[in-house]
Amino acid sequence: MRSASSPAPREELSGGEPVAINGGGGRPPDISQMSPEERANRLFNRVMMLAEAGKQDSVQFFMPMALGAYSQLPALDADARYHVGLLQLAGGDVPAALAQADTIQRSVPNHLFIFVLRAHAYQAQGNTVQEQRAYADFLRHEQAELALKRAEYDDHRESLTNFHTEAVRQAQNPRRPTS
């Protein structure tokens, strides 16, 4: 779920020293020298990588820093709210992630990130009816939204493509609602 403009992923050596996966080494950059947007994106990417790796203790450690970085931005656009919602999902705060989806919808009613956040949130809650609805809403609005060529869609192209695949799969083989 990292953006295309994100830096290369990093891993930690057993001693805790971060090293770039792409072969570069050395110390991580001093985030205090980054713009607020760069800092927020860097921390978002770190938390998402840790979440994907199943390192929940590290997710919980970096989560306050990442959310704090977003709270320091002068305004949150749909992309930033999507990032915040994904962070909240990674931290287990489903209602807060749904609130981000609702806020995006108030400003951009059919934005694809609304449906992605909702599907993941409802899946976490085990609410298959609402999850299926989010997938269907995504598919219904996808072509028109992608035609708008929003920069954030390009930044999250892989995530949107993967979500599309899952939405189609869900449409063809919907899960039975759970009670």
Side-chain angles (χ1 to χ4, degrees), residues 20 27 50 90 92 107 111 122 136 151:
R27 294 201 150 300
L50 292 166
S107 61
H111 201 290
Y122 291 131

Side-chain angles (χ1 to χ4, degrees), residues 106-117:
R106 281 193 293 279
S107 61
V108 188
N110 297 320
H111 201 290
L112 296 178
F113 292 167
I114 298 164
F115 313 117
V116 174
L117 284 174

Side-chain angles (χ1 to χ4, degrees), residues 6 8 28 33 47 55 75 79 99-100 106 113 134-135 144 165 173 177 179:
S6 302
Q33 301 303 312
V47 171
K55 297 181 178 181
D79 189 47
Q100 291 300 324
R106 281 193 293 279
F113 292 167
Y135 284 124
T165 301
N173 302 307
S179 40

Side-chain angles (χ1 to χ4, degrees), residues 154-175:
D154 284 339
D155 291 344
H156 294 282
R157 181 183 323 246
E158 183 178 348
S159 295
L160 290 172
T161 299
N162 292 340
F163 190 84
H164 168 86
T165 301
E166 180 62 17
V168 168
R169 189 180 74 72
Q170 290 292 329
Q172 293 169 346
N173 302 307
R175 290 187 288 151

Side-chain angles (χ1 to χ4, degrees), residues 6-11 18-26 49:
S6 302
R10 300 174 74 80
E11 289 184 340
V19 179
I21 292 173
N22 64 4
M49 282 182 6

Side-chain angles (χ1 to χ4, degrees), residues 114-164:
I114 298 164
F115 313 117
V116 174
L117 284 174
R118 285 183 178 161
H120 292 309
Y122 291 131
Q123 182 180 46
Q125 287 180 331
N127 185 338
T128 54
V129 171
Q130 292 291 47
E131 179 187 358
Q132 295 298 319
R133 181 176 176 200
Y135 284 124
D137 288 343
F138 177 91
L139 292 173
R140 185 171 52 255
H141 297 290
E142 183 181 25
Q143 283 189 338
E145 277 295 305
L146 291 177
L148 297 173
K149 300 190 183 299
R150 298 182 195 277
E152 62 266 30
Y153 292 163
D154 284 339
D155 291 344
H156 294 282
R157 181 183 323 246
E158 183 178 348
S159 295
L160 290 172
T161 299
N162 292 340
F163 190 84
H164 168 86

Side-chain angles (χ1 to χ4, degrees), residues 8-20:
R10 300 174 74 80
E11 289 184 340
E12 287 186 8
L13 294 174
S14 58
E17 177 74 14
V19 179

